[in-house]
Each structure stands twice: as structure tokens, then as C-alpha cells.
Amino acid sequence: HVQLVESGGGSVQAGGSLRLSCGASGSIYGDACVGWLRQAPGKEREGVAAIDSDGIASYADSVKGRFTVSRDNANNTVNLMMNSLKPEDTAMYYCAANFGPYCSGSAWTVSNAYGYWCQGTQVTVS
């Protein structure tokens, strides 16, 4: 069983940076595919980035070159560094995880790929 706790987020001006962190307790987090998804008001939840157990990262086209996902297995943490933020990045951000090949292909971009979720944190860019 994996429990996820998210931290970070907040409000920032366009062009600024924020870092989100997703800590885990329980099972072997290092074996999991961990994804970051976001949901803006009136829109569907969408995958932003994901990282597999080997540290291979995937990104949505809208954030490539601006967001970086990384994992710190020693501390059971996955981080999302968000640079050059835009107003369209405003959303509730969630980290999620699952065991299995969910980081492959485009599976990581959809909510039903994940079995474990954090509580979510708001990111507002003005």
C-alpha cells in the first residue's frame, strides 16, 4: 500500500517557478510509475509528466522544456520543478502512482492508470 503526500504549489507571476514534491510511505515507491496530472476548472484532468522506476521521464508537449520531473528514491520523493510558468498552467496538480508498466507509451497521461493519489495542490499563475 502506498500513501502519497504532496507539498509545494501556490501562486506565482508568469515566468516564475514553483516546485511540487510528492512523498510516499508504505510499499516500495521506487518500483512505481509516478505521474503528475492537473485539472483546470471546467477541463478534464490531464497528464503533465511521469517518471518510471528507472528514472525515465515523459512530458506533455505543453510543458516540455519548462517542467522537470525527478525522483529521489533514497527519500521516497518525486519532484516536479516548474519553470517559465504561464497562466494556462493554473490548475489543481496531483501526484499519482501505480505499479506496473503505466509509464510506457501514453498510458501515464490518463487518470485510470493510477491507483494511488495525493490530495492535490493548487498552482495559480497570474
Side-chain angles (χ1 to χ4, degrees), residues 19-98:
R19 190 178 84 157
L20 307 181
S21 293
C22 182
S25 61
S27 298
I28 305 173
Y29 192 41
D31 292 337
C33 169
V34 180
W36 290 94
L37 300 92
R38 67 186 181 188
Q39 187 165 20
K43 294 187 176 181
E44 292 187 356
R45 193 170 295 185
E46 61 176 358
V48 173
I51 188 164
D52 71 10
S53 56
D54 293 324
I56 297 173
S58 300
Y59 298 95
D61 288 342
S62 59
V63 305
K64 278 181 182 176
R66 300 188 298 121
F67 290 13
T68 302
V69 60
S70 61
R71 65 191 310 153
D72 179 355
N73 288 338
N75 293 304
N76 257 6
T77 301
V78 172
N79 301 309
L80 182 68
M81 186 68 208
M82 305 183 294
N83 297 318
S84 302
L85 282 161
K86 305 175 180 180
E88 51 263 44
D89 294 318
T90 296
M92 185 71 78
Y93 282 71
Y94 301 88
C95 68
N98 213 345

Side-chain angles (χ1 to χ4, degrees), residues 101-120:
Y102 295 100
C103 275
S104 62
S106 60
W108 62 271
T109 63
V110 295
S111 296
N112 61 13
Y114 303 97
Y116 305 97
W117 290 83
C118 68
Q119 75 279 14

